[in-house]
Amino acid sequence: MPRMVKLAYGEHGIDLAIDESRIDATVIMPKDPPALADPESAFARAVDAPFGDAPALGALIAARTLSLGRPVRSVVIVIADHTRPVPDHLLVPWVVERLGVADAMVTVLVGTGTHRGSTAHEIERKLGASAARFRVVNHDCNDSAGLVRVGASRCGGEAWFNRLWVEADVKIATGFIEPHFYAGFSGGSKAVMPGVAGLASIQHFHRAALIAHPGTTWGDIAANPLQALTREMLALCPPDFIVNVTLNLGKRITGVFAGECRAAHDAGCHQAIEEALTPVARRFPVVVTTNSGYPLDQNFYQTVKGISAAARIVERGGTILVASECRVGLPPEGEFGKILADPRGSPELHQAIKAASRTRHDQWQVQTLLQCLEQARIVLHSTLAPADRALTRTEHGEDINASLAACAARWTDGKLPVAVLPMGPLTIPFIQARASSSSR
C-alpha cells in the first residue's frame, strides 16, 4: 500500500499517494502546538501586560484622552483581508470590550494592500457578528482623497496611509504571525504598511531591487531590508497598540502577542521561528508543495508563496509540483495577469522587470515566480480555467499523483528523493549545512 499524505488544498485537502518502492519521501511539517485552552483569558493577560512601552489596553483610552486634551472620538482597528486566517471574529470584539468604548466610535479598516476589497459575504465570514456590529471599510490604495502623506523613508519612499488610520484618535492593528517570503514573517507593521498604504508607497516597498535582495526572504527579520522598511515607514504614523497571534495547523490560537508594535512582533516571531523553520540535509530533485489550503490558496497570486517555499530546497533544474485550488482565478483584478501575459519569454521578462525604473502593480509577485522558474520546472495542479492556466508560465497537471509517478518513472538512480511540504509556506525548510550562519 502506498504511503498517504494529506495535502492542504481548498477546504478539504487532497491525498498524495507515495509509492515507497520507487520514492524516498521526506515529509516536512511545521510543528503543531496545542491550541490555547482559554484563548480569551490568554488575550486578557497579554493586553494587561503588553510588550514594550504601550499602556495596558484597558488604560489606553484614558492615556490617549490625556495626551489629546479631549475625549477620544474615534478608534480604528486595522485587520487583514479575507485571504488571511486571522481570527478577527474573536480579536475585534475582545479589543473593543477591553477598550470600553461605544461601538459607534469603532471603524474596522480592512487592510487590502493592493488587492480588491473583501465582499460583504467575505467580511461576514471573517468577522462574524462584528460585521454588523461595527462600521467596516475596505482600504483602497488608489483612492487619493482617502490617503494622507505622513512622511518619507530614508531611501525615498513616500508614506501614504489611509486617512481613517491617520486621523483616528486611537489606532490598533491585529495580525497573524506566519512565515512570509519577503518580510520574514507577517504581522506587526505589515498590517499598515502595506495593508492600508497608498499604491505609490506599496510600489516602492516592492520595487525590483528590494525583492531581488538576498536578505528579502523567509524567516529573517533582523537582517531583512523589507522588514526594516515596513517598520521605518510605520513609525511615521504608528499604532497605539497591536494584537498579533500565532496559530496551529487547525487555525486555532497558540499565542497572543500584544503591545508596542516592534516589541510585540519580535516576541511573536521568536515563537513562530521555533514552530516553522525546519532543517533538511540536502536539496531534492522533486518538491511537492501547497499554499496551505483555504483561505490562502484562493488564487494563483498567493500560490507563488508556496512555490517560493519549495524553491528553497529544490535542485536547480528540478521539479516543483504545486497543489493549490485557485478558486477565484489569478485573480482577475490588479496587473498580475497582465504582466504574466507579456509576450516575452520568462527570462526576458525577468530581466525587464529588474531593469525597469517604474514598479507596476503586482510586478513583485511575477518577479518572484520568475526567480523560481529559473530554479526549477513548475507543474501546477489547480481548478484554474484554461485561459488563466495559459498565463501562469507553469506546466499543468490534472492529477498530482500522476505527475509524481511520472517524475519517479523518469528517475533512473534508485529511489527518487522527494520533499513534501503538505502545509506549503507554513513550513520553511532550510539546508542544514547553512543553519549555523543563516536561517535562509
Side-chain angles (χ1 to χ4, degrees), residues 277 279-280 430-440:
L277 291 179
V280 295
F430 64 95
I431 307 303
Q432 181 70 63
R434 300 178 184 176
S436 61
S437 60
S438 172
S439 64
R440 291 186 61 235

Side-chain angles (χ1 to χ4, degrees), residues 55-75 99 165-172 238-241:
L57 187 58
L60 181 57
I61 296 300
R64 289 296 291 143
T65 296
L66 184 63
S67 64
L68 290 168
R70 60 168 175 78
V72 168
R73 298 175 186 141
S74 60
V75 175
L99 288 173
W165 174 262
V166 175
E167 297 179 352
D169 289 342
V170 172
K171 304 174 180 66
I172 295 174
D240 298 294
F241 204 93

